Amino acid sequence: MDDIRSSSISRRELLAMIGRTTSAAVMYQAMSSLGYAAESDFQGPVSLEGAPKGTSVLILGAGLAGMTAALELRKAGYKVQVLEYRERAGGRSWSLRGGDTYTELGGFTQHCDFEKGLYINPGPWRIPYHHRGLLHYCKLLGVKLEAFVEMNANAYLHNSKAFGGKPQRFRHVMSDFNGYVSELLAKATDQNKLDQAVAKDERDILLEALRSWGALDDKYAYTPATASAMRGYDKDPGGGPGGAPTPSTPISRADILNSGLWHHLSFPLTYEYAQTLFQPVGGMDMIAQGFAREVASLIQFNAKVTEIAQSDSGVTVTYVDARHGGEARRAKADWCVCTVPLSILSQIRNNFSSTLQAAINAVPYAPAIKAGLQFKRRFWEEDDAIYGGISFTDLPIGQISYPSTDYQKPGKGVILGAYMFGVSAVEFTSLSPSERLQRVLEYGAQLHPQMSREFDNGISVAWHRVPWTLGCYGMWKEDTRQQYYKDLCAIDGHTVLAGEHCSYVNAWQEGAILSSLSAIERLHQRVVAGR
Amino acid sequence: MDDIRSSSISRRELLAMIGRTTSAAVMYQAMSSLGYAAESDFQGPVSLEGAPKGTSVLILGAGLAGMTAALELRKAGYKVQVLEYRERAGGRSWSLRGGDTYTELGGFTQHCDFEKGLYINPGPWRIPYHHRGLLHYCKLLGVKLEAFVEMNANAYLHNSKAFGGKPQRFRHVMSDFNGYVSELLAKATDQNKLDQAVAKDERDILLEALRSWGALDDKYAYTPATASAMRGYDKDPGGGPGGAPTPSTPISRADILNSGLWHHLSFPLTYEYAQTLFQPVGGMDMIAQGFAREVASLIQFNAKVTEIAQSDSGVTVTYVDARHGGEARRAKADWCVCTVPLSILSQIRNNFSSTLQAAINAVPYAPAIKAGLQFKRRFWEEDDAIYGGISFTDLPIGQISYPSTDYQKPGKGVILGAYMFGVSAVEFTSLSPSERLQRVLEYGAQLHPQMSREFDNGISVAWHRVPWTLGCYGMWKEDTRQQYYKDLCAIDGHTVLAGEHCSYVNAWQEGAILSSLSAIERLHQRVVAGR
C-alpha cells in the first residue's frame, strides 16, 4: 500500500479513473485489493484540482444538474453564478403541498389544498439503490431517506376487459403465472420432452428447482394445496380452534394468460426498479432544498434566458425577469454549463455550432401527467390492506401509487391517482383541471370504489404544459442516440450541456447528476489545459 | 341498508361473523355490498358485550397475547389481573439497546453496548401487511411503523461451496434463473414440444408472456443484450459521452442450477413474506410499550407462577418472586387466560384435564439464535450498496439482515449477523457469548470481508436459553396438529390457553393476538351463558 500512496498518481486520481471506466462493483474490488475499501475516504465523485484562480462559470438552470455543478465548481475554486427561470431551485425535482399554486401553460391555475404534512411528487418520485451519485449528495446534504415500496404483493393489477373488470391482486397473478410456467416446464421435462435442451445430470436439479420455486406438488402440479403458501388463502391462518386456513384456488392458466396482466410482473424485478428504492422523508424537493442551502447565494432566480452568445473568450447570456419581462440584463463568464431542458433550449437564440444545434433539436420531450389526490381517510390501507406500492391498470390513468410513508396515520392521505404518458396525456390536458380530476376519479373508482366517496381534493401536473420544461424528459431513440448523443454532450466553444438528457439515465435525477459531473470534469480538464 | 340495521343481528355481529369465517377481502366485499365499507366504524376485532359485573379474569403472561386479553377484557368490564414473570411487558416481543443486560439460562450474562438510537430485535422483527390484528393494535396504540425491506435485489445469496465461495447478488441469481426457465419453456413451446399441454390458441400468448417476463430476445434466448435490463450491467448507464452501459453476462444455467441458490428465490414471494412488511420505528418493543401504557396498572411483574389449581368455581394461581423466590402468594379469579409458553407451562404444577396436559406436553419449542452486531460504519451501504433486506448463506449463520431504517446515517449501525435454527443453534450455545460473536464474524466475513475490521460489539440471544420461553416458538407438525391442537385451544374448566402456540400463525406476533382474541371471545360466551 505504501508504494501506491507515494507514487505520482494520487490515490484519488486512481480511484476516479477506476470509477469512471468500470462499475461500482469493480471499483470496490479494486479498492479492496488496494486495501482502501474499509478505510475509504471516497468523499466525492469528482476531483477538480488546479483550477486557475478567478475562472468564472455561468450555470444556466438550478435543477439538480445545475446545482451539482455549482456545488462542485465552487468547491474547486471557480467563480460561479447560476441563472434560474423559476422562483425556486430544483427544477423538475419538485413537491406540491397545501398552499402551493401552480399555473400551467395555457393559463389553468391550480391551488393545492393538501393537509399539512401531505404532499405529492409530480416529477421524480423514487431513488434506486444503485443511483450512487444522487445517494452521495443526499448523504452529503443531510437528506433523510425512507424506503419507497415498489413491489406490493397486495396491490392490484387491472385489465378493464378481463375478469369482468375486477382488479386482481398482484400476488395472485404473480404466484399463478410462476406456478403455471414451472408446472409446464417441469412436467415437460419429466416427460422427457426437454431432453435435447436439458442434459441428464441437469434434469433432476431443474425439476427440484422448479418444484421449489413454482410451489409444485410431487407430481409437478400447481394446485390449491401448494399454491396457497404463495398466493394467499381464502381464509387466512388464524388463532384458536377455528384457526386452520382454507386454501385458495388459482386463477386458471388460460385466464391468467388471456388477461395480459403478466406483462406487469417483471417490472418490479428490473434492475431499474428492483428494491431497495427510496424517497426523501417529507417530499422529493428536500433534495433541492439541501442543495439550495449550499448554493442559493449563487443563484439569480426568476431569470429567463433569452440569448446565449459565445465568443472566443467566453459566454454572454442575456436574460429578463421571468415574471414580467422588462429590461434585458447580461451575465458573462469564461465558461458556461447549460442545463436548460432541450425543449426550451431549442427555442433560445444561440450561436452554438450547427452540430450542437442539430443535436439540441433532435430530442423530443415526453408528455406526461401526474395527479395527486387527497382522500379523507387512507381507505387503501383500512379497506384494501394496501400499504405503499403501485397498482397498474389499462385504463388511461395507468397507475395508482400509495404513499410509502405515515402508514396507518389517522386522517387524510394523498395518493398518486394517475401517471399518464403519450397520447392519453396530451388528450387529457384539453380538459380543465377539475374535469381531469373528475375523470381520474371515475377511472380510479374501477379499482377503488371508495374513491368517489372519500375524495377530498387534488391537483394535476401535465409536464408538457409546465412552462419551464415543456415535457417530462428527453426521449432518445436508438437512431437519434447514435447520431446526436455525443454531439450533445461535447463541449462546444465555451459551453457544455448537462441535464438528464445528457445521460443514459433519462428521466431520473441520477442522469442529471452524472451528466453534470461528466460535464464539469471535462470542462475542468479543458480549463486546466489552458484551452 | 335500513332493514339490516334494524334486524335482530347487530351490524357488528354480522361483520364479526363474516370476518371470522372468511378473509379480509371477502369481508370487504361484504361490507361494500352492505354499503358499510366506506363509512365503516369497524373499531375492533371482538365484541364482548354483556359481561356480568365483577367477573374476574386472571391472565398469566404479559406478552402480546396476555396484554391483548387484558386490554379487551377490561374494556368489556371484566376485573383483570395479570401475572408476568419478567420485570417488563412484551414477552418475546423484545428489543435490546445499549445499557441492557441479559442473562441466559446457564449463567452467561451479556451487556449490550449499542450506541443510542440503535437496537436489535432478537425476537419478532417484521410484520406482514396481512397481519390485521397486530396492525389494528399498532394503530390503536399509536405505534409508528416503517417499511421493512424483505426483498433486496442487491443483497447476497451465498453457497460456500459454489462460485469459489463468492457471494452472488440476488438480482443475478433471480434474473438468470427466471431467464433460463423462460428460455427453456419458450423454445420448447416454439418447437412444438408442449403441444400436448398447450393449446394452439394459448401458444402465442404464452410465448409473448415468456419473452416479456423472462427478458428473452426474439429467438427466445436469454442473452446479455436482453438480460442486463433485469440483472444489471457490468458498467451502469451514466452521464456524458461515456455514458453508454456495458451489458453483463448471465451466469451459466448449469452454475445457477448446481449452486442451489435458486432455493432462496421464492421466499420473498411467499404470502408470508411478500411485501409490504413493517417494523415499528425505534424497535419492536414499541408495541409492548404501547400495550403497557394501557394495561401496566393491571400487571404484577416479577411473578413466577408455580402452580395453577382449578376448582368448580374458579382458578387459584400460586406464585413467588421471580428474582429471589421466597414467600408463595396466591391470586384467585373466576377465570384464567393462560399465555405461558408450553415449554414452561409443561413444567408448572397444574390440575388441568389430562387431555389438556397431553396437548401441552406435545409441542416442542424451536431452538434459535439471533446475533446483533454493531459496526463502526454502515459498510454494507457504503461499500456494497445494500440498504435493508437480507442476505442468505449456507454457513451456520443462515442470514445477515441489514437495518431497514436510518439509511445513510453517518456513524455506527447494527445488523442482524446471524439467525440460526435447529442443531447449529444448539451447538452454538456451547460457546461463550464472545466465542459466538467471534464465530459469527468469521462466517459473516465470507460475505463481507469488512466485518472483521469494522466490528464494534455485539450480543446474541439463544432462545432455547431464554429462561422465560426455553425456545423460540411452538413447533407443530401435521400429526401433532391433528391430534392435539383443538384440545390445546379448548376451554378447560375455568382456564383457556392463548399464545402463538394456540394458532396457525406460529412464531408470529399475529398468532399471539389472534389466539388471544379467540380465547377471550369463547371465554366470554361461556361467561355470558352462565357456565
Side-chain angles (χ1 to χ4, degrees):
Chain A
M1 259 166 56
D2 285 344
D3 46 312
I4 300 262
R5 285 182 188 174
S6 58
S7 78
S8 56
I9 183 170
S10 76
R11 167 169 152 185
R12 187 179 280 276
E13 285 169 330
L14 175 62
L15 292 172
M17 180 185 79
I18 293 169
R20 249 199 314 282
T21 55
T22 60
S23 65
V26 171
M27 177 138 194
Y28 176 66
Q29 283 169 26
M31 288 161 75
S32 291
S33 31
L34 289 170
Y36 292 162
E39 43 185 293
S40 173
D41 66 356
F42 186 56
Q43 292 292 344
V46 286
S47 172
L48 306 176
E49 286 152 26
K53 206 164 162 56
T55 309
S56 58
V57 182
L58 178 63
I59 299 170
L60 305 183
L64 294 208
M67 291 198 288
T68 296
L71 190 77
E72 297 294 343
L73 289 170
R74 180 182 63 185
K75 188 166 80 176
Y78 284 89
K79 191 161 166 285
V80 174
Q81 183 188 4
V82 185
L83 296 178
E84 163 57 40
Y85 174 85
R86 301 182 73 192
E87 72 290 356
R88 62 169 66 175
R92 277 165 279 181
S93 188
W94 184 28
S95 306
L96 283 164
R97 300 179 179 81
D100 288 341
T101 297
Y102 159 62
T103 300
E104 65 184 47
L105 209 70
F108 283 133
T109 295
Q110 297 176 73
H111 300 278
C112 184
D113 282 324
F114 294 163
E115 205 162 74
K116 190 162 145 68
L118 301 178
Y119 66 86
I120 191 77
N121 293 323
W125 48 314
R126 52 203 159 179
I127 303 170
Y129 68 87
H130 47 83
H131 284 188
R132 301 286 269 168
L134 180 52
L135 289 176
H136 164 79
Y137 286 104
C138 285
K139 186 169 182 179
L140 187 76
L141 303 169
V143 176
K144 197 162 185 273
L145 300 174
E146 58 192 356
F148 178 97
V149 176
E150 177 71 34
M151 175 155 128
N152 182 341
N154 215 34
Y156 291 122
L157 297 180
H158 177 246
N159 178 343
S160 55
K161 301 174 207 59
F163 303 109
K166 184 171 180 291
Q168 303 299 305
R169 296 287 189 179
F170 189 99
R171 59 182 155 94
H172 288 159
V173 179
M174 170 180 69
S175 305
D176 294 350
F177 180 82
N178 291 359
Y180 291 130
V181 164
S182 300
E183 178 178 34
L184 283 171
L185 184 59
K187 283 179 169 171
T189 303
D190 189 47
Q191 294 157 18
N192 304 312
K193 296 191 168 133
L194 275 287
D195 282 1
Q196 274 179 350
V198 177
K200 256 190 165 53
D201 59 359
E202 193 183 11
R203 195 174 170 280
D204 285 344
I205 205 169
L206 174 63
L207 288 171
E208 194 190 334
L210 290 168
R211 185 191 282 132
S212 157
W213 179 77
L216 308 178
D217 68 14
D218 52 15
K219 293 183 171 47
Y220 305 115
Y222 179 68
T223 63
T226 52
S228 295
M230 302 303 299
R231 71 191 315 276
Y233 303 83
D234 269 0
K235 172 171 166 284
D236 272 15
T246 307
S248 63
T249 305
I251 299 166
S252 77
R253 191 175 81 213
D255 281 351
I256 289 281
L257 288 175
N258 290 331
S259 73
L261 291 179
W262 41 261
H263 88 261
H264 297 293
L265 295 178
S266 66
F267 188 76
L269 305 183
T270 55
Y271 180 59
E272 216 170 358
Y273 292 101
Q275 296 181 166
T276 307
L277 300 99
F278 308 96
Q279 62 183 18
V281 175
M284 189 58 74
D285 67 357
M286 290 297 154
I287 297 173
Q289 291 185 34
F291 269 109
R293 273 194 296 275
E294 299 295 317
V295 298
S297 56
L298 306 174
I299 305 171
Q300 169 111 22
F301 293 98
N302 300 300
K304 177 181 175 175
V305 171
T306 54
E307 180 168 359
I308 303 168
Q310 305 210 78
S311 70
D312 288 336
S313 56
V315 184
T316 302
V317 167
T318 308
Y319 64 99
V320 296
D321 190 300
R323 295 160 292 188
H324 47 68
E327 178 198 339
R329 296 166 157 235
R330 282 191 177 77
K332 290 178 195 277
D334 300 322
W335 302 92
C336 176
V337 177
C338 174
T339 75
V340 178
L342 304 180
S343 43
I344 306 288
L345 185 58
S346 55
Q347 298 176 49
I348 294 175
R349 194 181 162 109
N350 67 75
N351 66 347
F352 296 139
S353 68
S354 53
T355 305
L356 178 54
Q357 285 177 343
I360 288 167
N361 291 327
V363 185
Y365 271 55
I369 296 181
K370 270 181 155 161
L373 312 174
Q374 179 169 283
F375 292 93
K376 297 169 194 156
R377 64 184 180 93
R378 291 173 183 252
F379 66 81
W380 53 94
E381 297 187 354
E382 295 177 8
D383 305 341
D384 298 275
I386 294 176
Y387 301 85
I390 306 173
S391 290
F392 293 89
T393 172
D394 68 330
L395 295 172
I397 52 174
Q399 304 178 34
I400 293 173
S401 182
Y402 316 90
S404 289
T405 193
D406 289 338
Y407 302 107
Q408 301 213 119
K409 192 175 175 187
K412 307 186 180 187
V414 167
I415 68 173
L416 180 72
Y419 190 10
M420 314 170 68
F421 291 96
V423 173
S424 316
V426 176
E427 284 175 351
F428 228 60
T429 37
S430 61
L431 304 170
S432 69
S434 58
E435 286 170 334
R436 293 174 207 164
L437 291 177
Q438 197 176 319
R439 196 69 68 83
V440 164
L441 285 167
E442 280 167 21
Y443 287 132
Q446 293 189 40
L447 282 83
H448 294 290
Q450 315 93 308
M451 274 197 171
S452 329
R453 193 183 335 227
E454 302 295 348
F455 177 66
D456 201 26
N457 65 69
I459 189 163
S460 64
V461 173
W463 282 97
H464 44 292
R465 290 273 182 95
V466 170
W468 32 273
T469 56
L470 298 178
C472 189
Y473 59 89
M475 291 195 298
W476 288 99
K477 290 190 309 199
E478 218 183 304
D479 58 349
T480 51
R481 188 77 85 173
Q482 284 271 36
Q483 203 177 344
Y484 297 107
Y485 179 76
K486 287 193 168 162
D487 290 338
L488 190 73
C489 296
I491 298 173
D492 185 275
H494 284 251
T495 299
V496 65
L497 266 55
E500 55 84 21
H501 43 283
C502 291
S503 81
Y504 275 77
V505 201
N506 303 115
W508 291 97
Q509 295 173 105
E510 183 73 349
I513 287 176
L514 295 183
S515 73
S516 185
L517 294 172
S518 166
I520 63 178
E521 251 188 324
R522 286 177 288 121
L523 197 70
H524 176 70
Q525 282 161 14
R526 186 73 69 94
V527 169
V528 162
R531 291 180 288 122
Chain B
M1 260 167 58
D2 286 342
D3 47 313
I4 299 263
R5 286 184 187 173
S6 58
S7 78
S8 57
I9 183 170
S10 77
R11 166 170 152 185
R12 185 178 281 273
E13 284 169 330
L14 175 61
L15 294 171
M17 180 185 80
I18 293 168
R20 248 199 316 282
T21 55
T22 59
S23 65
V26 172
M27 177 139 195
Y28 175 67
Q29 283 168 26
M31 288 161 74
S32 292
S33 30
L34 289 171
Y36 293 161
E39 42 186 293
S40 173
D41 67 354
F42 186 54
Q43 292 293 346
V46 285
S47 173
L48 305 176
E49 286 153 26
K53 207 165 161 55
T55 309
S56 58
V57 182
L58 179 63
I59 299 171
L60 305 182
L64 294 207
M67 292 198 288
T68 297
L71 190 75
E72 297 294 342
L73 288 170
R74 181 183 64 185
K75 188 166 81 177
Y78 283 89
K79 190 160 165 288
V80 173
Q81 183 187 3
V82 185
L83 296 178
E84 163 57 39
Y85 174 85
R86 302 181 72 191
E87 73 291 355
R88 63 169 66 174
R92 277 165 278 181
S93 190
W94 184 26
S95 306
L96 283 164
R97 300 179 180 80
D100 287 342
T101 298
Y102 160 62
T103 300
E104 63 184 47
L105 208 71
F108 283 132
T109 294
Q110 298 176 73
H111 300 278
C112 183
D113 282 324
F114 293 162
E115 205 162 75
K116 189 162 145 71
L118 302 178
Y119 65 86
I120 191 77
N121 292 324
W125 48 315
R126 52 203 158 179
I127 303 170
Y129 68 87
H130 47 83
H131 283 189
R132 302 285 270 169
L134 180 52
L135 288 177
H136 163 79
Y137 286 105
C138 285
K139 187 170 182 177
L140 187 76
L141 302 169
V143 176
K144 197 162 185 272
L145 301 174
E146 59 193 356
F148 178 97
V149 176
E150 177 71 33
M151 175 155 128
N152 182 341
N154 216 34
Y156 290 123
L157 296 181
H158 177 245
N159 177 344
S160 54
K161 302 174 208 60
F163 303 108
K166 183 171 181 289
Q168 303 299 305
R169 295 288 189 179
F170 189 99
R171 58 182 156 95
H172 289 159
V173 179
M174 170 180 68
S175 305
D176 295 349
F177 180 82
N178 291 0
Y180 291 130
V181 164
S182 301
E183 178 178 33
L184 283 171
L185 184 58
K187 283 179 171 172
T189 303
D190 189 48
Q191 294 157 18
N192 304 312
K193 296 193 167 134
L194 275 287
D195 281 1
Q196 274 179 346
V198 176
K200 256 189 163 56
D201 60 0
E202 194 182 11
R203 195 173 169 281
D204 286 345
I205 205 169
L206 174 63
L207 287 171
E208 194 190 332
L210 291 169
R211 185 190 283 134
S212 158
W213 179 77
L216 309 178
D217 69 13
D218 52 15
K219 292 182 172 47
Y220 305 115
Y222 179 68
T223 64
T226 52
S228 296
M230 303 303 299
R231 69 193 315 278
Y233 303 83
D234 269 0
K235 172 171 166 280
D236 272 15
T246 308
S248 64
T249 305
I251 299 165
S252 77
R253 191 176 80 213
D255 282 349
I256 290 280
L257 288 175
N258 290 331
S259 74
L261 292 179
W262 41 261
H263 88 261
H264 296 294
L265 295 178
S266 66
F267 189 74
L269 306 182
T270 57
Y271 181 58
E272 216 170 358
Y273 291 101
Q275 295 181 169
T276 307
L277 300 98
F278 308 96
Q279 63 182 18
V281 174
M284 189 58 75
D285 67 356
M286 290 297 153
I287 297 174
Q289 291 185 33
F291 270 109
R293 272 193 296 276
E294 300 294 316
V295 298
S297 57
L298 305 175
I299 305 171
Q300 169 110 22
F301 293 97
N302 301 300
K304 178 181 175 175
V305 171
T306 54
E307 180 168 358
I308 304 168
Q310 306 210 80
S311 70
D312 287 337
S313 57
V315 184
T316 302
V317 166
T318 309
Y319 63 98
V320 296
D321 190 301
R323 294 160 293 188
H324 47 68
E327 179 199 338
R329 296 164 158 239
R330 283 190 177 74
K332 289 177 195 283
D334 301 322
W335 302 92
C336 175
V337 177
C338 175
T339 76
V340 178
L342 303 181
S343 43
I344 306 287
L345 186 58
S346 54
Q347 298 176 48
I348 294 175
R349 194 182 161 105
N350 67 75
N351 66 346
F352 297 138
S353 69
S354 53
T355 304
L356 178 55
Q357 285 176 342
I360 289 167
N361 292 327
V363 185
Y365 270 55
I369 296 181
K370 270 182 157 161
L373 312 174
Q374 179 170 283
F375 292 92
K376 297 169 197 156
R377 62 182 182 95
R378 290 174 183 251
F379 66 81
W380 53 94
E381 297 186 353
E382 295 177 8
D383 304 341
D384 297 275
I386 294 175
Y387 301 86
I390 306 173
S391 291
F392 293 88
T393 173
D394 67 330
L395 295 173
I397 53 174
Q399 305 178 34
I400 293 174
S401 182
Y402 316 90
S404 288
T405 194
D406 288 338
Y407 302 107
Q408 301 214 118
K409 191 175 177 187
K412 306 186 180 187
V414 167
I415 69 173
L416 181 73
Y419 190 10
M420 314 171 68
F421 291 95
V423 173
S424 317
V426 175
E427 284 175 351
F428 228 59
T429 37
S430 60
L431 304 171
S432 70
S434 59
E435 286 170 333
R436 292 174 207 165
L437 291 178
Q438 198 175 318
R439 196 68 68 83
V440 164
L441 285 167
E442 279 167 20
Y443 287 132
Q446 293 190 42
L447 282 83
H448 294 290
Q450 315 93 308
M451 274 196 171
S452 329
R453 193 183 336 228
E454 303 294 348
F455 178 65
D456 201 25
N457 65 69
I459 188 163
S460 65
V461 173
W463 282 97
H464 45 294
R465 291 274 182 93
V466 171
W468 32 274
T469 55
L470 299 178
C472 189
Y473 59 89
M475 291 194 299
W476 287 99
K477 291 189 309 195
E478 218 185 303
D479 57 349
T480 51
R481 186 77 84 175
Q482 284 273 37
Q483 202 177 345
Y484 297 108
Y485 179 75
K486 287 193 167 160
D487 289 338
L488 190 73
C489 296
I491 298 172
D492 185 275
H494 284 249
T495 300
V496 66
L497 267 55
E500 56 84 21
H501 43 284
C502 290
S503 81
Y504 275 77
V505 201
N506 304 114
W508 292 97
Q509 295 172 105
E510 184 74 348
I513 286 176
L514 296 183
S515 72
S516 185
L517 294 172
S518 165
I520 64 179
E521 251 188 324
R522 288 177 287 119
L523 197 70
H524 177 70
Q525 283 161 12
R526 185 74 69 94
V527 169
V528 162
R531 291 180 288 121

